[in-house]
Amino acid sequence: ASDVYKRQGVPGEENADFMMSLKKSKKIKFVLCRHEQAAAFMADVYGRLTGKAGVCLSTLGPGVTNLITGLADANMDYAPVVAIIGQGSTERLHKESHQIMDSISMVAPISKWAQTILSAKNVTEVVRKAFKVAETEKPGVTVIELPEDVAKEEVNENPIKPSLIRRPAADYRAVNEAIELIISADVFFLPTNVKSIKDTLGVGTLIAVPSNLPLRFGRTKLNAFAAPVEVGIKDSAAALALLKSL
């Protein structure tokens, strides 16, 4: 229901039932990774490039700690990712047991939402919420923890269909005011590609901003953005044409 075609990760004993169910799917392909961190980064890049949540999988304990670096990077760069992590049976979560740790508390600071599924009846609702929260502004990481005894239960409910998400937009009056300020300025700055501006404008002076200048934009939240560019505009009509094309 969430248009997931690939999931990557490193499975373990605690999510064996999940993997066996996934094997029956004709739509979703599982990509086996050599390390959970690689799976998280693959999901990070997929989410960053498509705007749809990338999905990664790990087992409990050390599987989750290996996943954390990639999840933290995705959340800081606002890439939508849904991580599904294994956990031991709910009957032994309260005691010291092999590889049992409080994974939800670990991932909470580096995610938008993290939740343990304690009943099979809640699977469809938790999954839908995880994808919705991950993909809505500002995008980021959500984590679903699936204990092994819950994963063994049968779920007869149909997946909840995703609803259309309306992305927030700036007030039109503020946008118009910004356009007027840019048009009336002799120089303005855009974090964009030099060649695309030159091709669009056909006029103006294009100068790359050195990294040591005080007016440099600094690090962008998405590392895929091009370096900031200083654009000297002499033709307001050309500037307006550029703004309308963005």
Side-chain angles (χ1 to χ4, degrees), residues 64 71 81-87 90 93 102-131 133 141-147 150:
V64 179
L71 296 184
V81 171
V82 174
I84 302 173
I85 59 177
Q87 183 57 283
T90 55
L93 294 181
D102 190 355
S103 301
I104 293 297
S105 294
M106 272 198 305
V107 299
I110 56 166
S111 63
K112 292 180 68 178
W113 184 67
Q115 179 64 47
T116 303
I117 298 179
L118 298 175
S119 171
K121 296 179 181 179
N122 299 332
V123 168
T124 55
E125 184 179 353
V126 171
V127 169
R128 177 85 297 273
K129 180 176 179 178
F131 277 89
V133 173
V141 172
T142 58
V143 181
I144 301 173
E145 184 179 65
L146 185 62
V150 178

Side-chain angles (χ1 to χ4, degrees), residues 136-163:
T136 50
E137 295 290 345
K138 295 180 179 179
V141 172
T142 58
V143 181
I144 301 173
E145 184 179 65
L146 185 62
E148 58 182 338
D149 57 329
V150 178
K152 292 179 183 294
E153 297 181 32
E154 292 288 335
V155 178
N156 297 318
E157 298 181 21
N158 292 323
I160 300 175
K161 293 183 179 180
S163 56

Side-chain angles (χ1 to χ4, degrees), residues 6-145:
K6 285 187 179 182
R7 293 184 179 182
Q8 42 274 327
V10 182
E13 177 186 349
E14 281 69 20
N15 43 30
D17 287 281
F18 176 83
M19 291 301 299
M20 286 186 284
S21 298
L22 190 62
K23 191 175 181 180
K24 300 175 185 178
S25 173
K26 297 179 180 180
K27 175 184 174 182
I28 303 173
K29 177 184 177 182
F30 182 76
V31 180
L32 179 64
C33 300
R34 294 294 178 263
H35 196 281
E36 291 87 354
Q37 187 178 120
F41 278 118
M42 289 168 70
D44 171 10
V45 173
Y46 176 86
R48 193 180 306 192
L49 294 177
T50 66
K52 296 181 179 180
V55 182
C56 54
L57 173 79
S58 81
T59 187
L60 80 170
V64 179
T65 58
N66 287 344
L67 206 65
I68 281 179
T69 299
L71 296 184
D73 182 75
N75 200 59
M76 292 177 68
D77 284 343
Y78 304 131
V81 171
V82 174
I84 302 173
I85 59 177
Q87 183 57 283
S89 170
T90 55
E91 296 177 354
R92 60 188 179 100
L93 294 181
H94 64 285
K95 56 186 177 182
E96 294 181 8
S97 186
H98 181 60
Q99 294 187 345
I100 293 287
M101 60 176 64
D102 190 355
S103 301
I104 293 297
S105 294
M106 272 198 305
V107 299
I110 56 166
S111 63
K112 292 180 68 178
W113 184 67
Q115 179 64 47
T116 303
I117 298 179
L118 298 175
S119 171
K121 296 179 181 179
N122 299 332
V123 168
T124 55
E125 184 179 353
V126 171
V127 169
R128 177 85 297 273
K129 180 176 179 178
F131 277 89
K132 182 176 181 179
V133 173
E135 293 176 354
T136 50
E137 295 290 345
K138 295 180 179 179
V141 172
T142 58
V143 181
I144 301 173
E145 184 179 65

